[in-house]
Amino acid sequence: MRNSIVRSIKSLTYSSSSHLIRRRGFATESVPDRKVAVLGAAGGIGQPLSLLMKLNPLVSTLALYDIANTPGVAADVSHINTRSEVAGYVGEEQLRQALEGSDVVIIPAGVPRKPGMTRDDLFNINAGIVKGLCEAISKYCPNALVNMISNPVNSTVPIASEVFKRAGTYDEKKLFGVTTLDVVRAKTFYAGKAKVPVAEVNVPVVGGHAGITILPLFSQATPKANLSEEEIKALTRRTQDGGTEVVEAKAGKGSATLSMAYAGAIFADACLKGLNGVPDVVECSFVQSSVTELPFFASKVRLGKNGVEEILGLGPLSDFEKEGLEKLKPELKASIEKGIKFANQ
Ligand SMILES: NC(=O)C1=CN([C@@H]2O[C@H](COP(=O)(O)OP(=O)(O)OC[C@H]3O[C@@H](n4cnc5c(N)ncnc54)[C@H](O)[C@@H]3O)[C@@H](O)[C@H]2O)C=CC1
Ligand SMILES: O=C([O-])CC(=O)C(=O)O
């Protein structure tokens, strides 16, 4: 789980007119054409995420879709002299064009939290938005990898799975809840407390993406550090409350957008690398899973040419983590069931 985007940008030069990528000092190699669609591209996450995807040399076509304001965002981003061709699509009548041919669809469409709200409070509005977008995906790009950012992720991913099942297009290997921001936060907070270089830190985060369902496994963090039980508990709480920390600091102006765009770009890059056959691409994600008795669960996932190649187990847990795992299950189960019920009513 390295910072692959930054690495790509540093180590590669690329041409906007050909699909060749030249590693400085090494032979030229070709990369396949890949279309990425961002749904909700004009929003707080959508705009910086579109920028970051424009910087990604693995993308050849970037489709920016929203219900408003995408022409401006697309015109702006399109002037950046990188490989991908950019097009903006606005309104439902252009959704088909935005989606057709997509390899990866990233969904940050929907309303964000305000102080005092839980992610589940967004369900009533976002569930319908996600359902509509997934119906379109099942029609126009049923083979795309779907990166679900819209909250509550613990419910929106099950909604997507039900929509795809109903359409006969469900492939559990291709549906991902994006939990990368939890990993990004866990790494940052751990590095600060353990006083180790942040770029070297790895911390798996499992479970789901809301409050106590976010379970960072600091017992598996590397590089190892001698943190006290109290310090580990505080780091766990801060990771679980990271979203709320930003919501409160923004004081009514939304939730995490910039760090989320970064995290979303890391995860989409991992999906593209997997599709392109790069070996050993592993990220945490909320996917259909048999790691626990719950039908969906976030854990480390190996990405490959068809999406999920392997779901990795949890590994050894500390007593504190075992307790956290049992505590999160009822809430996560209820959120999953709420999504499934909504999609089928
Ligand atoms: N998975 C995660 O870790 C995180 C998830 N989020 C979630 O991401 C979502 C978006 O957050 P922000 O970008 O801050 O919100 P925002 O309100 O700034 O942007 C949302 C965008 O979605 C668009 N939209 C609404 N309905 C749409 C539809 N039917 N089709 C296409 N676009 C549509 C809006 O026009 C707007 O441009 C929220 O649900 C938020 O909770 C936020 C941070 C982290
Ligand atoms: O907290 C929120 O509402 C947005 C989010 O999911 C996060 O920042 O992790």
Side-chain angles (χ1 to χ4, degrees):
M1 287 187 270
R2 305 278 305 276
N3 182 348
S4 48
I5 301 256
V6 172
R7 221 177 33 214
S8 311
I9 292 164
K10 277 187 185 155
S11 67
L12 302 177
T13 55
Y14 45 91
S15 146
S16 55
S17 57
S18 80
H19 301 155
L20 297 177
I21 289 193
R22 192 176 307 113
R23 251 174 240 283
R24 286 198 188 106
F26 293 93
T28 298
E29 53 187 74
S30 75
V31 289
D33 284 351
R34 295 288 177 201
K35 177 173 174 179
V36 173
V38 181
L39 312 184
I45 296 167
Q47 292 201 34
L49 178 58
S50 300
L51 165 65
L52 293 173
M53 295 319 294
K54 177 67 176 131
L55 300 185
N56 190 318
L58 302 181
V59 182
S60 57
T61 302
L62 185 58
L64 306 182
Y65 173 81
D66 204 302
I67 50 174
N69 302 326
T70 23
V73 176
D76 190 353
V77 167
S78 74
H79 289 185
I80 297 170
N81 59 324
T82 54
R83 178 185 176 200
S84 54
E85 298 288 336
V86 181
Y89 302 92
V90 64
E92 240 183 278
E93 58 289 354
Q94 296 190 2
L95 183 52
R96 175 190 191 135
Q97 266 180 291
L99 289 175
E100 270 174 351
S102 293
D103 296 287
V104 176
V105 179
I106 315 175
I107 312 184
V111 291
R113 284 201 284 166
K114 287 190 186 328
M117 293 169 81
T118 66
R119 289 180 183 80
D120 185 59
D121 293 332
L122 305 173
F123 186 97
N124 288 345
I125 299 177
N126 290 354
I129 293 174
V130 162
K131 187 166 176 250
L133 292 173
C134 289
E135 281 163 358
I137 290 169
S138 65
K139 276 193 216 145
Y140 305 130
C141 56
N143 296 317
L145 303 191
V146 175
N147 294 184
M148 183 67 72
I149 293 174
S150 311
N151 271 317
V153 167
N154 293 354
S155 302
T156 52
V157 169
I159 290 171
S161 75
E162 291 302 303
V163 170
F164 297 150
K165 274 182 204 163
R166 237 203 246 183
T169 64
Y170 184 49
D171 180 347
E172 73 274 13
K173 293 187 169 61
K174 296 190 168 174
L175 176 59
F176 302 88
V178 181
T179 58
T180 319
L181 183 52
D182 302 317
V183 176
V184 164
R185 286 176 177 141
K187 286 178 176 180
T188 304
F189 302 157
Y190 178 84
K193 188 56 83 180
K195 302 204 171 19
V196 292
V198 70
E200 289 172 23
V201 171
N202 266 312
V203 185
V205 182
V206 303
H209 179 68
I212 63 160
T213 72
I214 299 167
L215 184 62
L217 303 181
F218 287 113
S219 70
Q220 297 175 21
T222 53
K224 290 274 168 232
N226 259 335
L227 297 180
S228 69
E229 218 170 286
E230 276 323 300
E231 285 172 317
I232 296 286
K233 281 186 183 165
L235 280 177
T236 302
R237 264 195 303 275
R238 188 162 181 217
T239 306
Q240 292 173 332
D241 294 343
T244 306
E245 187 178 317
V246 178
V247 168
E248 281 169 4
K250 291 200 174 178
K253 295 269 190 294
S255 56
T257 53
L258 305 173
S259 51
M260 180 59 237
Y262 171 77
I266 296 267
F267 190 71
D269 180 67
C271 287
L272 290 165
K273 287 205 172 91
L275 288 176
N276 290 354
V278 175
D280 279 327
V281 181
V282 175
E283 290 290 339
C284 289
S285 181
F286 184 65
V287 293
Q288 183 176 313
S289 172
S290 52
V291 160
T292 68
E293 64 274 29
L294 300 178
F296 293 90
F297 200 81
S299 66
K300 284 203 260 182
V301 168
R302 191 183 311 283
L303 295 155
K305 289 187 176 176
N306 299 306
V308 174
E309 199 164 85
E310 185 188 359
I311 297 177
L312 304 175
L314 297 180
L317 305 185
S318 67
D319 287 345
F320 174 63
E321 290 159 359
K322 281 183 194 154
E323 209 178 292
L325 176 61
E326 290 317 307
K327 274 197 199 142
L328 73 81
K329 285 179 181 171
E331 180 182 329
L332 185 50
K333 182 168 185 279
S335 300
I336 292 168
E337 284 169 358
K338 187 172 174 179
I340 291 173
K341 187 167 167 222
F342 170 85
N344 288 308
Q345 73 199 0

